[in-house]
């Protein structure tokens, strides 16, 4: 059986933040693909909600285990990430989550459409006990 092998750089097909090298094997008329994907920057794109912050949200929003909190980009507020925009929260179900984590029985998530705000960085949500407030830190 004649086996031909080609390599293509699929970065243009997958976006600038992802570099991919795909190997395409052609055996007769059947095409097989193997992908070796190396994420640049996205390995740090994660959502971390610290336990005290999750407990605070659970109490303030009267959340029950199994419920979810959406983190979204909103107009206004104070932000060092994108001037004129900040992050807000709302109790709702995910539709197309790009990042999520479950803490204290509550799922915290950001929709795929809002991930641009993080610019391939992570989001850490903490509770500042001294000021009794939530901090959302893009890092």
């Amino acid at each position: 059986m004649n086996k031909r092998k080609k390599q293509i750089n699929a970065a243009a097909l997958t976006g600038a933040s992802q570099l991919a090298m795909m190997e395409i094997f052609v055996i007769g008329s059947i095409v097989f693909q193997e992908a070796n994907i190396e994420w640049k920057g996205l390995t740090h794109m994660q959502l971390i909600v610290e336990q005290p912050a999750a407990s605070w949200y659970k109490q303030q929003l009267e959340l029950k285990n199994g419920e979810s909190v959406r983190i979204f980009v909103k107009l206004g507020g104070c932000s060092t990430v994108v001037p004129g925009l900040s992050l807000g929260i709302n109790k709702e179900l995910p539709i197309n989550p790009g990042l999520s984590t479950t803490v204290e029985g509550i799922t915290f998530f950001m929709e795929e459409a809002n991930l641009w705000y993080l610019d391939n960085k992570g989001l850490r949500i903490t509770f500042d006990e001294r000021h009794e407030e939530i901090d959302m830190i893009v890092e």
Side-chain angles (χ1 to χ4, degrees):
M1 215 178 269
N2 184 4
K3 181 178 174 181
R4 292 182 288 142
K5 179 177 168 181
K6 290 184 178 179
Q7 286 191 342
I8 61 169
N9 186 340
L13 301 174
T14 57
S17 60
Q18 178 186 22
L19 297 177
M21 185 61 74
M22 299 185 79
E23 294 182 345
I24 300 174
F25 296 95
V26 180
I27 302 174
S29 62
I30 302 171
V31 176
F32 299 92
Q33 293 183 3
E34 291 182 4
N36 177 18
I37 299 173
E38 179 184 357
W39 294 96
K40 295 293 184 186
L42 292 181
T43 54
H44 301 294
M45 184 180 261
Q46 58 185 332
L47 174 59
I48 298 169
V49 179
E50 294 180 356
Q51 188 275 330
S55 294
W56 187 86
Y57 276 125
K58 197 170 184 178
Q59 180 184 14
Q60 295 298 314
L61 299 176
E62 300 178 355
L63 298 167
K64 296 176 182 67
N65 285 352
E67 292 186 314
S68 53
V69 173
R70 176 178 166 227
I71 302 156
F72 62 94
V73 179
K74 66 178 190 163
L75 185 61
C78 181
S79 170
T80 59
V81 179
V82 178
L85 300 175
S86 62
L87 294 173
I89 58 110
N90 198 30
K91 179 179 154 183
E92 62 185 78
L93 293 172
I95 296 171
N96 186 24
L99 290 175
S100 70
T101 189
T102 302
V103 183
E104 290 278 314
I106 306 302
T107 299
F108 296 84
F109 70 95
M110 279 187 83
E111 291 289 343
E112 183 78 33
N114 282 183
L115 293 183
W116 62 267
Y117 182 86
L118 299 179
D119 193 29
N120 293 329
K121 297 176 183 153
L123 175 62
R124 179 180 301 273
I125 300 176
T126 65
F127 179 69
D128 180 345
E129 291 182 28
R130 191 176 74 166
H131 295 105
E132 295 186 8
E133 64 185 16
I134 292 291
D135 286 324
M136 293 187 178
I137 306 155
V138 176
E139 53 186 14

